[in-house]
Each structure stands twice: as C-alpha cells, then as structure tokens.
Amino acid sequence: MRQRAHESATVGVRSDDGGGVRLVLAGEFDVATAPMVGDALREVPVPVRRVVVDCRAVAFADCALLRVLLPARNSLVLLGPLPSVMNRMLVHSGTRKLFTVVDDTAPGGRLPPGPCFSGGASR
C-alpha cells in the first residue's frame, strides 16, 4: 500500500478486490491535508473499475475535502459508516445526495462487484 502522510492525516492507496483502487483516509482533512486526497485521485490509473474512498477513520473534514471529492463523485464510492463530522458536512452543503455512500455495517452494505457507480444513490 502506498501512503501519503501529514502530521494530522494519512491517505493510503491500495488495490481493491475486483480490479479497483481503495483510498483509505484517516485523520483530519482541511486545506493543508485535503490536497493529498486530490493527488491520490489523480494518480489512479485509467481505466480502473472502481475507486472506493474509505472514510471510516476521518476525524475531521471541511470544505477543502469536499472540493477534491466533488469533481470525482461519479467515479467513486464513499465507504462508511461516515463519521458524523463528514456526514454533517455533506448534508449541510447539500451534496450528500450527489455521492454513492455504502455503509459496510448495514444489511446489504457490501460493495457490489462491478465498475464505478454513477453517484447519487445511497445504499
């Protein structure tokens, strides 16, 4: 797994089951650290079947993270359960409905096999 690190955040990048890429976010994502996520997204090889952004260990997120996730929203899945701080950010900004969010603890919350989703559906 490749990893980018800052004193308050890490972004791990690894191959995912089914021919995709998984970004594992941990820590606090703001103007200083969100660009690591953007860099990792830009380095995803094309074509890739799916990009999963594992958000379960995000301790803080602000609009800087939202700014890097929004342009890629149709080619990624946010894996949760989303931490409350991240869920609030998405809900209050009116963007939650634009992302595909899969809660891996919910019944049927497993990532389905196959290519990238086209954002908008919460599972």
Side-chain angles (χ1 to χ4, degrees):
M1 173 160 68
R2 294 183 317 256
Q3 188 164 330
R4 299 172 187 281
H6 183 274
E7 62 189 37
S8 62
T10 61
V11 178
V13 181
R14 63 183 168 108
S15 295
D16 195 358
D17 297 337
V21 172
R22 183 173 296 220
L23 275 59
V24 180
L25 310 185
E28 300 177 0
F29 292 89
D30 57 18
V31 71
T33 54
M36 293 189 310
V37 179
D39 291 345
L41 286 169
R42 281 187 292 281
E43 291 176 7
V44 170
V46 177
V48 68
R49 292 183 55 122
R50 166 175 53 213
V51 177
V52 175
V53 181
D54 185 337
C55 303
R56 296 174 293 184
V58 172
F60 174 80
D62 67 11
C63 61
L65 180 59
L66 183 57
R67 202 170 19 249
V68 298
L69 292 176
L70 269 173
R73 70 187 174 273
N74 291 326
S75 61
L76 59 80
V77 175
L78 300 179
L79 179 63
L82 294 178
S84 61
V85 66
M86 191 163 176
N87 192 57
R88 276 192 313 269
M89 175 191 64
L90 294 173
V91 169
H92 290 296
S93 66
T95 58
R96 174 80 164 62
K97 63 186 173 284
L98 300 177
F99 290 93
T100 299
V101 179
V102 175
D103 181 344
D104 77 339
T105 62
R110 295 192 176 162
L111 292 171
C116 297
F117 307 115
S118 51
S122 289
R123 299 182 203 279

